[in-house]
Amino acid sequence: MTDPAITQDLIAAHGLSADEYDSILEIIGRTPTFTELGIFSAMWNEHCSYKSSKKWLRTLPTEGPQVICGPGENAGVVDIGDGQAVVFKMESHNHPSYIEPYQGAATGVGGILRDVFTMGARPIAAMNALSFGEPDHPKTRQLVHGVVAGVGGYGNAFGVPCVGGEVRFDPAYNGNCLVNAFAAGLADADKIFYSAASGVGMPVVYLGAKTGRDGVGGATMASAEFDDTIEEKRPTVQVGDPFTEKRLMEATLELMATGAVISIQDMGAAGLTCSAVEMGDKGGLGVRLDLEKVPVRETAMTAYEMMLSESQERMLMVLRPELEAEAKAVFDKWDLDFAIVGETIAEDRFLIQLNGETKADLPLSKLASTAPEYDRPWVPTPAPEPLADVVNVDPIDGLKALLASPNYASKAWVFEQYDTMVMADSARTPGLGAGIVRVHGTDKALAFTSDVTPRYVQANPEMGGKQAVAEAYRNLTATGATPLATTDNLNFGNPEKPEIMGQLVGAIKGIGVAVDALDMPIVSGNVSLYNETDGTAILPTPTIGAVGLIATPDDIIGCDVREGHLAVLIGEGTGHLGQSALLLEVFNRAEGDAPSVDLAVEKRNGDFIRDNRALINACTDLSDGGLALAAFEMAHGSGVGMVLDSSDTSTLFGEDQGRYLVACSFDKAEALMIAAGQAGVPIQTVGKFSGDTVWMGNSSAPLADLSETYQTTFAATFA
């Protein structure tokens, strides 16, 4: 097959600017081959190179005594004591999921699981954060069904419990849904596997499933805006097979135990190209590949197709040559491909050959660590106008409006399609705050949460970034966990627009300040840009995934609300209604500033909750919907009515930060009051849990009626 001529249209189709193409000509001193153009396109696109965000990502705190491995590897690694580590990361699969919802979401789950077990960890938990357009948009229903089925179809078959996540709806996502997938695994702290190649002349080994044409150009597609050619992009979406991935995991972990692995890398975005380049670059080595040795499942594949395919369930490894036979036997046993497809070389070269013909010969270091980096112009997001007065609403009417919105109703219709109990270590499943998974064979447990409030970030990116971290901190704290570390998934529009770049910069600044103040360093993450269609961007959505440690079962704060328990509010507020759920759902207004986040107060109040967990029967943080929604969710979860003393709209629905609602007996509440006085923590009783009715001031409704709305709204909208 003759390579096409390199034209301006072809360069643009590969997502390269004219300046970038000129840089390629300068680097190699000649016109690139078609395969070389594809390789540069894959490695220099936003999805792989982070060329618009690297400058700002470097400002994030990534270190701490608990951090074993921070950003730059397949996943982050954090010490949890006793020689054990938790390995975790969150990544986006947004564009593929909008084009082909089932496979896009499924392969997003598959990719993040590979990131974890490539490090030598067995996955123990998954989460997902999903953002869709308005519920009555003609495409939303199809996307919701396809994405949820894809997440469940892959995760359930693979056998990892889904323990948490979030689902939101907003018109800003009509043309570009978000699918952020999180996975965490356990490993021995002294048996972590990394991707840096070492040694010259070492075999480069292809592992797993065969290579096909699915996903060719997927990374480049993920770094472009959508327009009316979206259907033409369908072939760039990968196809997943969770049963093959399960075998790949078992084979990989068994292989690691043999001592044969020098370095190993998941084949994710840009497939064979990215995995080989990253391994070589991190080790300061070159790589030669002989593509005729690559296992393929389609005939007459070109070098371009093999290098850019994103077929799933594949790995690349640098092998100790003396253990080749032993390593091959492991993969033969699991009925997976094992093929030596090249070797490491001393020169700074990425040499690609097919049947003896050179298809690419490039300086490897220029593809990865010295890829373009931009200091894009940005403008700060203007300060929002002060919120105009909000009229008081009947509290029950306000609560009903929230419960009747798919944004705040129960997401049981979603998570009941996921296996939440496989492996039998899930101690708390979705719908009750942060998920909890026991660390098998020990007294420890890990808590997991995923959080962001995009409308806050839209109004005030820096405060919204802080708030996302603070809410993750509170969600972990409310289970009794000590927050350990975070992963971020930064979803934004086109960074070439200064106002969008300003959102990204502001959010990163806020996240950085918050993870530093709350001792939750960023250890891994992902940036997803160009999330817009026909020039309309998504809401800025910097999702924060966080992990916390629970030392013993006694440290878990339960969900045990009982008749007669007092409702005790920790922290204080001014009734902040700017950008609140009530304002949007009742008044259709997205106005005002995001609530202010005081990180010293967050730390103080969080420490107080953990220090006094023995006095607390149930705990939740206050976020969307304020006190009213938090108290209702506690009442609904236990089937006990509630009585809140106030009927004031801002008191009940304000979204001031740093606050927790606690349920406990009178005696424990008294002890909590004394402890709070000594710690300087604001505390007050705001009501009690009793009967079978929800009372807020003089307004009331049967708990059963409100629970019916809460439980059925989502299914009624989408089932």
Side-chain angles (χ1 to χ4, degrees):
M1 182 182 293
T2 305
D3 281 354
I6 307 297
T7 63
Q8 290 300 319
D9 286 348
L10 190 65
I11 294 163
H14 280 75
L16 293 164
S17 69
D19 287 344
E20 287 169 346
Y21 184 70
D22 287 344
S23 296
I24 292 170
L25 296 179
E26 187 176 333
I27 288 167
I28 64 177
R30 56 178 171 79
T31 300
T33 67
F34 184 52
T35 300
E36 288 172 336
L37 183 71
I39 288 170
F40 271 109
S41 165
M43 293 307 302
W44 283 13
N45 70 62
E46 199 73 57
H47 194 74
C48 293
S49 73
Y50 297 107
K51 59 191 176 186
S52 296
S53 56
K54 271 192 287 195
K55 167 186 167 74
W56 298 101
L57 295 176
R58 290 193 192 100
T59 67
L60 289 170
T62 60
E63 297 178 347
Q66 71 275 44
V67 178
I68 295 172
C69 175
E73 276 293 338
N74 286 293
V77 186
V78 175
D79 195 331
I80 60 169
D82 306 313
Q84 292 181 300
V86 59
V87 179
F88 64 96
K89 189 182 185 183
M90 183 174 253
E91 277 208 340
S92 60
H93 230 221
N94 304 335
H95 283 51
S97 298
Y98 188 77
I99 296 168
E100 175 46 66
Y102 184 95
Q103 290 296 349
T107 52
V109 173
I112 200 67
L113 290 168
R114 283 196 306 282
D115 281 337
V116 166
F117 69 75
T118 302
M119 301 289 292
R122 182 174 290 277
I124 61 162
M127 296 190 295
N128 54 85
L130 312 177
S131 303
F132 299 105
E134 53 198 332
D136 57 358
H137 185 272
K139 196 167 173 69
T140 299
R141 181 184 173 86
Q142 173 212 351
L143 289 171
V144 170
H145 276 262
V147 165
V148 170
V151 169
Y154 205 102
N156 297 353
F158 180 87
V160 63
C162 184
V163 299
E166 46 188 345
V167 185
R168 70 178 56 84
F169 300 89
D170 190 276
Y173 304 104
N174 281 345
N176 198 128
C177 66
L178 302 183
V179 176
N180 295 174
F182 170 99
L186 286 174
D188 291 338
D190 60 351
K191 293 176 183 171
I192 305 298
F193 288 80
Y194 299 100
S195 59
S198 63
V200 175
M202 295 295 167
V204 174
V205 185
Y206 174 112
L207 307 169
K210 289 178 166 54
T211 294
R213 290 188 172 94
D214 51 319
V216 173
T220 302
M221 173 272 292
S223 303
E225 296 178 40
F226 284 152
D227 54 28
D228 56 10
T229 65
I230 185 170
E231 282 302 316
E232 298 170 16
K233 297 182 170 74
R234 191 174 298 276
T236 62
V237 178
Q238 312 91 327
V239 177
D241 178 354
F243 301 104
T244 297
E245 177 122 331
K246 179 72 169 176
R247 287 185 288 123
L248 179 62
M249 178 190 72
E250 297 296 350
T252 300
L253 295 178
E254 188 174 330
L255 177 68
M256 289 168 167
T258 68
V261 178
I262 294 175
S263 63
I264 190 163
Q265 175 76 36
D266 159 44
M267 281 196 225
L272 191 53
T273 291
C274 194
S275 54
V277 168
E278 288 191 0
M279 289 173 77
D281 186 63
K282 288 174 185 174
L285 295 169
V287 173
R288 177 182 60 78
L289 296 178
D290 300 314
L291 296 187
E292 69 274 9
K293 297 176 181 176
V294 171
V296 294
R297 54 179 160 81
E298 300 187 43
T299 58
M301 288 191 70
T302 65
Y304 178 96
E305 290 170 331
M306 282 191 266
M307 292 306 296
L308 298 187
S309 167
E310 294 183 9
S311 294
Q312 296 292 285
E313 294 85 44
R314 302 179 302 159
M315 317 276 264
L316 202 63
M317 173 182 74
V318 176
L319 170 75
R320 298 190 191 281
E322 68 274 15
L323 293 175
E324 178 190 333
E326 193 172 348
K328 187 175 186 304
V330 170
F331 273 73
D332 286 347
K333 182 183 88 171
W334 288 99
D335 194 24
L336 292 164
D337 279 294
F338 177 101
I340 295 176
V341 296
E343 65 175 353
T344 57
I345 56 178
E347 304 96 322
D348 179 21
R349 291 175 78 190
F350 192 39
L351 182 59
I352 309 301
Q353 296 176 311
L354 178 60
N355 296 320
E357 183 181 346
T358 298
K359 295 294 185 179
D361 189 353
L362 301 169
L364 186 143
S365 64
K366 298 295 184 184
L367 295 167
S369 55
T370 55
E373 181 176 331
Y374 296 124
D375 184 4
R376 296 203 185 274
W378 61 279
V379 294
T381 300
E385 294 291 328
L387 179 64
D389 287 345
V390 178
V391 299
N392 275 330
V393 298
D394 179 273
I396 292 296
D397 289 345
L399 180 59
K400 284 179 177 177
L402 297 184
L403 303 183
S405 164
N407 275 312
Y408 306 109
S410 167
K411 306 303 187 298
W413 182 87
V414 175
F415 61 72
E416 285 172 358
Q417 297 184 55
Y418 305 150
D419 192 333
T420 60
M421 298 301 293
V422 64
M423 301 175 76
D425 280 317
S426 300
R428 188 173 299 170
T429 53
L432 296 168
I436 302 176
V437 175
R438 291 179 289 267
V439 178
H440 199 75
T442 76
D443 285 337
K444 294 178 298 201
L446 291 165
F448 303 99
T449 187
S450 163
D451 298 286
V452 66
T453 308
R455 63 182 183 277
Y456 293 171
V457 189
Q458 175 96 325
N460 186 331
E462 189 163 350
M463 198 62 73
K466 281 186 193 177
Q467 191 277 337
V469 176
E471 186 173 344
Y473 174 86
R474 291 196 303 272
N475 275 327
L476 295 177
T477 296
T479 68
T482 300
L484 285 179
T486 49
T487 180
D488 59 349
N489 202 151
L490 307 177
N491 307 274
F492 290 83
N494 183 346
E496 296 167 46
K497 299 176 179 177
E499 64 276 12
I500 299 290
M501 193 65 205
Q503 293 175 343
L504 176 63
V505 171
I508 290 175
K509 286 182 175 182
I511 290 167
V513 171
V515 298
D516 187 47
L518 300 176
D519 299 323
M520 300 167 70
I522 296 277
V523 297
S524 59
N526 171 243
V527 179
S528 175
L529 304 179
Y530 296 95
N531 287 292
E532 50 185 88
T533 299
D534 295 328
T536 300
I538 60 162
L539 292 178
T541 311
T543 308
I544 298 295
V547 178
L549 179 64
I550 299 171
T552 72
D554 291 341
D555 286 345
I556 296 176
I557 297 175
C559 305
D560 185 23
V561 178
R562 297 195 178 179
E563 175 71 33
H565 275 170
L566 295 184
V568 180
L569 181 63
I570 310 292
E572 60 187 345
T574 59
H576 183 95
L577 287 172
Q579 300 297 332
S580 66
L582 182 87
L583 192 68
L584 190 61
E585 297 294 343
V586 174
F587 299 99
N588 197 29
R589 292 165 58 187
E591 299 170 13
D593 202 351
S596 179
V597 177
D598 185 326
L599 294 165
V601 167
E602 294 282 2
K603 186 83 166 62
R604 180 198 68 193
N605 293 359
D607 288 345
F608 176 78
I609 293 288
R610 283 187 297 277
D611 290 345
N612 293 279
R613 68 187 104 206
L615 300 173
I616 298 170
N617 292 89
C619 181
T620 184
D621 84 304
L622 268 60
S623 53
D624 284 321
L627 174 62
L629 189 56
F632 167 78
E633 288 178 346
M634 291 178 84
H636 165 78
S638 297
V640 179
M642 71 185 203
V643 179
L644 294 181
D645 301 329
S646 178
S647 62
D648 177 66
T649 296
S650 61
T651 300
L652 290 169
F653 296 98
E655 295 180 6
D656 304 86
Q657 300 295 293
R659 301 185 298 159
Y660 300 83
L661 184 63
V662 164
C664 59
S665 66
F666 181 85
D667 290 347
K668 287 181 176 178
E670 205 169 36
L672 211 53
M673 296 275 185
I674 294 169
Q678 294 169 342
V681 171
I683 188 171
Q684 59 178 310
T685 56
V686 291
K688 64 180 179 179
F689 294 94
S690 180
D692 57 7
T693 302
V694 169
W695 285 90
M696 289 184 281
N698 295 319
S699 185
S700 69
L703 174 63
D705 291 354
L706 296 174
S707 290
E708 175 76 7
T709 301
Y710 180 68
Q711 289 176 297
T712 60
T713 290
F714 201 99
T717 307
F718 295 109

